[in-house]
Amino acid sequence: MKAAVIGSGIAGIAAALRLRSKGYDVTVFEAADKPGGKLAELQLRNYRFDMGPSLFTLPNLVDELFDLFPQYKSDFSYQKLDVICNYFWKDGHKLRAHKNTDSFAKSIESEFGVSHKKVLDYLAKSKANYNATAPIFMEQSLHKISTWLSAKIWKPLLSISKLNLTTTLHEVNQKSFNEQHVVQLFNRYATYNGSSPFLTPGIMQVIPHLEYNLGAFFPKKGMRSIVSSLIDLAKAQGVEIRCNERVKKIIVCGGKARGVELEKEVFAADVVVSNSDVFYTHRDLLKGSKPKEVERSSSAVIFYWGVKKKFPELDVHNIFFSKNYEEEFIELFDEKKVPTDPTIYIHVSSKVNPEDSPNYGENWFVMVNTPADQNHDWPHEVAQLRAKVLSKLKNILKVDLEGFIEVEHVNTPKDIEQRTGSYKGALYGTSSNSQFAAFLRHPNFSTDIKNLYHCGGSAHPGGGIPLCLNSAKIVASLIPDVR
Ligand SMILES: Cc1cc2nc3c(=O)[nH]c(=O)nc-3n(C[C@H](O)[C@H](O)[C@H](O)COP(=O)(O)OP(=O)(O)OC[C@H]3O[C@@H](n4cnc5c(N)ncnc54)[C@H](O)[C@@H]3O)c2cc1C
């Protein structure tokens, strides 16, 4: 039996591996010249950059893929970070969020006067809600009757009032801490799925559980090594990965997916899995099928800077907060404009992998959240943002960075869309700006075409590496084993 996978993002590769382990002959078609989708890398002279994700949580979901083929030996490895994130506020407050939850809670108490017990209670609730909801909302299809008939779904649903589905994340954080720096810190987790804390439901309180209770990790050879190691595994298992091969159409006959059409070839398959953004899968690959317009998650402008200086005050992950966080999110999601005073995220992988930069410097990935593309004037936005970022860093780090930038590259939402086929350059597929978001996301299977499945950030359960890996797992669970 043959399976065709359209796209080699993390979910496409994971689906290919899972189908291979179920006995399928798998071929992955990738439009770009290299596989891996958003987990791309960039080499600028002697600086290496991961272009997309930088935060690695739930690494066990990657380990599971290697475990499918126990005879295969991989050198993929990762480490737990001691400092989860290093926070800077404009008023001079600073916080190093240590992986040890007690130390983290105590540093919040000493910096902001919020009792450490409140922080520990919040993280305990985050854990309890995660454990109650993950098996339903993140690990199985929401669109199969069998999910709703299962007994394990009812316990959490009966405790729905405790899950904060009808309040916003900001309201939960405000009630929990009532201290603006701490509220801002926990509000930022809404951006982990490209949403606003003022719109996304309070259940998103589950996200800090991943970092603070389970850990933030980083691969020994950078984020790109997650996909490159999985691609090596896939090839060793006989999965064929064909780059520079854009799928033009999914062939449907008698209500069933029968294969894919390429530039010069028709490829017959018994099962088709699309890892292409669901919007484009419908608009371009299933001609005539109308894509649903669901609000997209945020996107970003990213500066990749090779900086010829070391900054001991920075860690692997660093956040420089905006002054007025409510205004920032109103601009981002209601007005769909680049925030006037954006929060800046700086990721420096050379802090853990020194070979990513020359020994006199650091590789800075500098990201600012923006709306998904609405035909903004990106060259103009980039020029303005660059000046703002440099000025803010000058005030906080007391350094004129401009003179230290020796190599530079920029990605805008338009570039992200062109490079990865993500509709409007959204980082995480559709947004989670409503309590119904989980139900609005595209199912992992086609409701009208048999043998057609969907995985990746724009399908259920959503964007981000762990959820994409879960989407591939759900897809594989819906496809019969043919061994
Ligand atoms: C800047 C940035 C920062 C991020 N930060 C994080 C983070 O810190 N942590 C985290 O977990 N997540 C993060 N994310 C989100 C994460 O990267 C994505 O959710 C995830 O990688 C998406 O994977 P995917 O499987 O949906 O496929 P994608 O990575 O979107 O890849 C899809 C692939 O399909 C190919 N394709 C599309 N159409 C066709 C076609 N017709 N024929 C052939 N091939 C096709 C594309 O070329 C592409 O290679 C970030 C994303 C970005 C861009």
Side-chain angles (χ1 to χ4, degrees), residues 334-348:
D334 298 336
E335 298 169 7
K336 309 271 185 223
K337 61 182 206 190
V338 178
T340 318
D341 171 22
T343 291
I344 301 168
Y345 165 64
I346 301 183
H347 164 61
V348 191

Side-chain angles (χ1 to χ4, degrees), residues 62 305 421 424:
V62 175
W305 285 339
K424 296 187 176 178

Side-chain angles (χ1 to χ4, degrees), residues 5-12 29-32 34-39 51-57 192 223 245-248 275-277 280 285 300 302 304 345 365 367 416 419-422 425-429 455-458 462-466 468 471:
V5 178
I6 307 167
S8 66
I10 183 93
F29 297 97
E30 170 53 57
K34 287 199 183 73
K38 296 191 175 70
L39 280 130
M51 294 189 82
S54 50
L55 186 76
F56 186 31
T57 51
Y192 276 35
M223 296 298 284
E245 293 260 31
R246 177 175 293 281
V247 169
K248 302 189 81 177
N275 175 222
S276 160
D277 190 300
Y280 287 121
L285 308 185
I302 307 123
Y304 306 90
Y345 165 64
F365 164 108
M367 182 166 103
I416 295 171
R419 200 165 48 75
T420 70
S422 177
L427 305 191
Y428 303 96
C455 64
S458 59
I465 297 170
C468 287
S471 75

Side-chain angles (χ1 to χ4, degrees), residues 257-461:
R258 308 278 182 173
V260 295
E261 190 180 306
L262 305 149
E263 188 67 51
K264 293 186 186 141
E265 185 190 338
V266 168
F267 184 91
D270 304 284
V271 166
V272 176
V273 178
S274 180
N275 175 222
S276 160
D277 190 300
V278 293
F279 181 88
Y280 287 121
T281 301
H282 281 276
R283 198 194 72 178
D284 298 344
L285 308 185
L286 294 168
K287 303 209 165 75
S289 126
K290 207 168 178 286
K292 247 200 222 151
E293 273 282 354
V294 181
E295 189 196 43
R296 286 277 143 169
S297 81
S298 56
S299 185
V301 165
I302 307 123
F303 298 94
Y304 306 90
W305 285 339
V307 176
K308 51 180 180 183
K309 181 174 163 47
K310 297 263 195 197
F311 289 81
E313 60 275 58
L314 296 187
D315 283 286
V316 181
H317 301 290
N318 310 274
I319 292 276
F320 295 79
F321 278 120
S322 62
K323 194 162 181 197
N324 183 336
Y325 59 77
E326 185 157 9
E327 191 178 293
E328 181 181 5
F329 287 103
I330 289 172
E331 288 179 321
L332 202 49
F333 290 98
D334 298 336
E335 298 169 7
K336 309 271 185 223
K337 61 182 206 190
V338 178
T340 318
D341 171 22
T343 291
I344 301 168
Y345 165 64
I346 301 183
H347 164 61
V348 191
S349 74
S350 61
K351 294 277 183 199
V352 274
N353 294 333
E355 64 282 8
D356 285 352
S357 73
N359 57 15
Y360 56 81
E362 293 181 344
N363 65 339
W364 283 26
F365 164 108
V366 182
M367 182 166 103
V368 167
N369 288 319
T370 70
D373 182 40
Q374 311 259 350
N375 287 322
H376 297 75
D377 179 355
W378 290 115
H380 171 75
E381 299 289 357
V382 164
Q384 285 211 323
L385 268 179
R386 190 177 189 279
K388 275 183 199 165
V389 168
L390 288 172
S391 148
K392 187 160 167 175
L393 294 177
K394 189 174 183 179
N395 286 336
I396 298 181
L397 294 177
K398 311 283 177 236
V399 63
D400 200 351
L401 199 66
E402 176 90 79
F404 292 104
I405 300 174
E406 62 170 356
V407 289
E408 174 166 17
H409 183 78
V410 187
N411 254 203
T412 65
K414 263 230 148 46
D415 299 321
I416 295 171
E417 169 153 29
Q418 271 162 15
R419 200 165 48 75
T420 70
S422 177
Y423 182 49
K424 296 187 176 178
L427 305 191
Y428 303 96
T430 55
S431 82
S432 294
N433 281 339
S434 103
Q435 65 257 58
F436 306 111
F439 301 95
L440 295 175
R441 241 172 234 117
H442 200 288
N444 299 109
F445 58 96
S446 166
T447 46
D448 45 7
I449 301 168
K450 275 196 181 154
N451 301 343
L452 174 60
Y453 300 87
H454 302 270
C455 64
S458 59
H460 175 71

